[in-house]
Amino acid sequence: MNTFIEHIVKLTNHRDRDLLELTFSKALIDLLPLERLVIARVMREEGVSRWLEVARLDIKGGGRVIDPQRVEFQSLVKLEDAYDRFKCLQSRSLVEVAWAGSDGPRITMLPLFSDSRLEDCGVLELHSEAALSPGSLALVDALRQIYRNMYALLEYSDRDSLTGLLNRKALDDAFYSAVLEDQEGIWPNMGGAAEQERRHRVPANYWLGSSSVDNFDLIAANHAAAASQEVLQRVARIMSSTFRTYDRLYHFGAAKFGVLMHCPDEALVLAAFERFRANVKATQFPQVGRVTVSSGFTTVRADDSPASALENTERAVDFARRGGGNKACSHLGLVRRGFFGPVPTPSDEAVAG
């Protein structure tokens, strides 16, 4: 019982959703007769859904957690090709797979969440040498409910109430945990030491971008508050449908939005912001009419902070707006062209791809 209580304390002590997932996994592997545990999430890109195993842990202590932004999406298994996982997700109920008789090894699959969550849907996959007892399944349900409650609380604190996108606080957390710190190798000692074991590293092809609705002050002045809020909500929906599900999308307040993404090439980042710009321009806003956005993005360097990286994106946004708006600009590209200083170093060019 003390072990169970200790795991509950750890589960309710986190302020990081990624670490919450790891602690949840460690509790299950410690308290249940499992050989292996997998948490598989659904990732979407351009209308295609695939499985990403965001966490994997086995009884011998090995395991890993995956940052979705660092995975090659095309290499992942398509949603329907993992039939049993897909069945579990669709039915929102337990699915048991046995391949060596009723008393043999099996995989027990449970939906990670009880409701249909487009952003977070996934499956908890429990590998065991025999069928899990009713008591074990009850323990899984109890821990799963605690995990869901904590996840919902952390998500609520990270979300902007108007748009549903992540807020500025969430950017600070993601910037350091996902961009500048390596999450591999932290499995053996789950708890306070886990965070100390993270290794500071140079970021690999992370980009931060920001976008502003052009002439939003005029929109707000000439229309009712409800109309300007609708503009922000529609822009947020367009952003969600344009970028990948594993890109982190933000609303910083007023008419400012942000994107934190992992991408191997500057041209691909520019193409993503161009798609967003074009999609906003092509949308009819019922009470306002035509709306455009100006965007700027920058590569994230090892010595950057969220504030310094955002400052670079805002300089690129200001450049786009001075040129008439409805543009997407790379801060690094503007530096190379001599609009901003200093001139990038060769290492900067390498990061840009």
Side-chain angles (χ1 to χ4, degrees), residues 28-36 59 126-133 136 139:
L28 290 170
I29 206 80
D30 280 353
L31 297 172
L32 295 169
L34 302 178
E35 296 298 313
R36 183 181 303 110
I59 192 63
L126 307 173
H127 297 244
S128 58
E129 288 297 322
L132 295 176
S133 69
S136 292
L139 181 59

Side-chain angles (χ1 to χ4, degrees), residues 113-179:
F113 296 98
S114 58
D115 54 351
S116 179
R117 304 168 65 94
L118 292 179
E119 293 185 358
D120 301 312
C121 59
V123 168
L124 176 64
E125 194 173 278
L126 307 173
H127 297 244
S128 58
E129 288 297 322
L132 295 176
S133 69
S136 292
L137 291 175
L139 181 59
V140 173
D141 283 339
L143 287 171
R144 193 168 45 143
Q145 188 58 56
I146 294 169
Y147 164 80
R148 290 169 177 171
N149 291 344
M150 285 300 300
Y151 192 95
L153 286 172
L154 294 177
E155 183 184 47
Y156 180 80
S157 69
D158 286 344
R159 294 285 175 180
D160 167 63
S161 59
L162 177 64
T163 64
L165 301 182
L166 296 167
N167 57 26
R168 180 64 173 79
K169 167 189 167 295
L171 172 63
D172 290 345
D173 295 339
F175 194 93
Y176 290 116
S177 67
V179 179

